[in-house]
Amino acid sequence: MLISDLLYHLKQKMKKKTRFIQNSCDDKRVNNQLLNTINPPLFHASTVLFDSCEDLLKANAGEYKGAVYGTDRLPLQVMVEEAINELESGAITRVFPSGISAIQHSLLAFVDSGQHVLMVENAYSPTKRFSDRVMPRFGIEVEYVPGDIGAEIEERIRPETAVIFLESPGSNTFEIQDIRAIAEIAREKGILTVIDNTWATPLFLQPLSLGLDISIQSVTKYLSGHSDVLMGSVTANEACSARLTDYYRDLEIFAGQEECYKALRGIKTLALRLKQHQASALELATWLEKQPQVEQVLHPALPSHPQHKLWQRDFSGASGLFAMIPGDQYSERQLANFVNALQLFGIGYSWGGYKSLVTLGRYDRSSTNSLNGKYVLRFNIGLEDVGDLQNDIAQALDYLEK
Ligand SMILES: *Cc1c(COP(=O)(O)O)cnc(C)c1O
């Protein structure tokens, strides 16, 4: 009897309950048709089946090639990791459930108890909260350096310094670091360098090509681009790839299939979206700088930005997030009136999506900074018509005087 005949007879004898289960996972086909779609299928899986016991034994020994379990980087995850890896020009990339998770694990993967981290003070505030509250529990000290630091970082390096953590431009305040100078010093001293590259995206800054070791994205922002995904990525160069691979596997971190799918779809239109975000934001920043109610606009592509020359040297573009410092004469009440009067800007955290957003906070940096303590209005410029956005800001500025 042929095997196919045997299977046929077995199937006929099966209870409906059994047949139903058999049919639902017949091969990789659906109703006996192999679908050839443009977009990849989602695999929702905890268990991954082996073809044979021999394969299972290989998996037991850690010698099986491919995913052995649902936490083991299923195909869509591998696809999104490969896409980001190519964008960042890295050796390997791993994705995480959020940007902050990617940041936390990049620190935990590469710093040991008793070691020391130098971090820019303009880092994303949850990055600092983690550094201040969690890292000390593992015997790791995080010390802050100014957001516009360059070669002078050398004076802050200790024998136990393991990592230098950068974010350029920095969250909310947009200071830029001299990446090349810091990378060179760190290389000499065998210190690992990490950068949160979310603002520029790999399209406008290539940190690994400038000599840094690790680049992080909050994929939540421009890469996915639609405010409906939380994901982070860590891209490492060759020297750091083994440690990251092992750490990631040991912790069995993974990203959900739907999130990977949405991120991958977002990446396909990243270049097109960024072009528009860049053009609209620069136009609005240039216009805002001339408004009498505005003390200063913080945007690296404006010649008035203190590190504009560094931006020109290292970046190939600017994204759609910038801030403005209103005149000192306005009270918090008046600034809130301005924010509430904006019709096209949502009031909310996060950025990088198609909808324009605004936040209000305080400039909170070292006491030597003349902007310290001032109010900061941060704009995420979305994909709306730029003329409409300008009209909206113009009418809301009138509310500052009310
Ligand atoms: C939003 C953000 C993060 C964190 O990303 P999540 O995905 O929201 O956790 C990290 N760094 C910067 C600069 C960010 O703006």
Side-chain angles (χ1 to χ4, degrees), residues 98-100 103 124 167 171 196 198 218 220-221 230-231 351:
S98 65
I100 189 62
I103 289 166
Y124 178 61
E167 186 182 315
S171 272
D196 181 337
T198 304
S218 165
T220 307
K221 311 290 165 58
L230 282 163
M231 186 184 281
W351 46 277

Side-chain angles (χ1 to χ4, degrees), residues 52-300:
S52 66
C53 188
E54 287 77 4
D55 282 349
L56 171 76
L57 293 173
K58 270 191 207 158
N60 289 348
E63 288 159 5
Y64 184 78
K65 301 254 179 296
V68 302
Y69 192 57
T71 58
D72 197 10
R73 305 177 59 241
L74 296 177
L76 266 176
Q77 181 174 334
V78 173
M79 286 174 80
V80 74
E81 288 175 349
E82 283 176 355
I84 297 170
N85 198 54
E86 197 173 324
L87 286 171
E88 292 269 20
S89 312
I92 69 149
T93 293
R94 291 291 181 269
V95 291
F96 296 78
S98 65
I100 189 62
S101 169
I103 289 166
Q104 292 164 354
H105 286 294
S106 70
L107 289 166
L108 293 175
F110 289 99
V111 190
D112 295 324
S113 177
Q115 290 186 319
H116 168 249
V117 174
L118 286 172
M119 179 178 283
V120 286
E121 63 166 352
N122 57 5
Y124 178 61
S125 65
T127 302
K128 296 205 289 182
R129 188 175 63 210
F130 173 77
S131 300
D132 294 339
R133 291 171 58 87
V134 180
M135 298 283 275
R137 288 179 38 219
F138 297 95
I140 297 161
E141 186 194 343
V142 180
E143 185 188 339
Y144 296 102
V145 296
D148 58 356
I149 200 157
E152 65 279 20
I153 201 166
E154 188 159 7
E155 296 151 27
R156 308 291 288 272
I157 291 171
R158 304 181 194 168
E160 66 272 24
T161 306
V163 164
I164 295 175
F165 189 100
L166 309 177
E167 186 182 315
S168 187
S171 272
N172 298 321
T173 45
F174 301 91
E175 304 91 330
I176 291 198
Q177 293 112 53
D178 188 338
I179 293 172
R180 290 169 199 259
I182 295 168
E184 200 181 316
I185 290 162
R187 273 281 152 89
E188 258 168 41
K189 301 196 178 275
I191 297 167
L192 193 90
T193 45
V194 181
I195 187 168
D196 181 337
N197 189 29
T198 304
W199 181 85
T201 83
L203 292 191
F204 292 155
L205 184 73
Q206 289 274 292
L208 274 48
S209 312
L210 295 178
L212 301 182
D213 297 304
I214 288 172
S215 178
I216 294 172
Q217 287 292 322
S218 165
V219 179
T220 307
K221 311 290 165 58
Y222 286 115
L223 269 61
S224 48
H226 294 75
S227 309
D228 57 358
V229 175
L230 282 163
M231 186 184 281
S233 65
V234 177
T235 300
N237 62 10
E238 202 65 55
C240 302
S241 60
R243 187 149 173 178
L244 179 61
T245 306
D246 289 347
Y247 176 89
Y248 194 88
R249 181 74 189 120
D250 290 343
L251 268 69
E252 293 208 32
I253 305 164
F254 68 96
Q257 290 281 290
E258 273 90 358
E259 305 312 286
C260 292
Y261 184 92
K262 284 184 276 188
L264 203 54
R265 185 163 67 176
I267 289 169
K268 307 230 186 276
T269 57
L270 175 64
L272 196 63
R273 287 184 286 108
L274 264 185
K275 200 170 153 188
Q276 188 60 50
H277 287 298
Q278 163 163 250
S280 296
L282 192 55
E283 189 174 332
L284 289 170
T286 306
W287 169 77
L288 262 175
E289 207 168 29
K290 295 185 215 123
Q291 303 313 303
Q293 300 93 335
V294 177
E295 180 177 316
Q296 198 172 336
V297 175
L298 308 173
H299 187 309

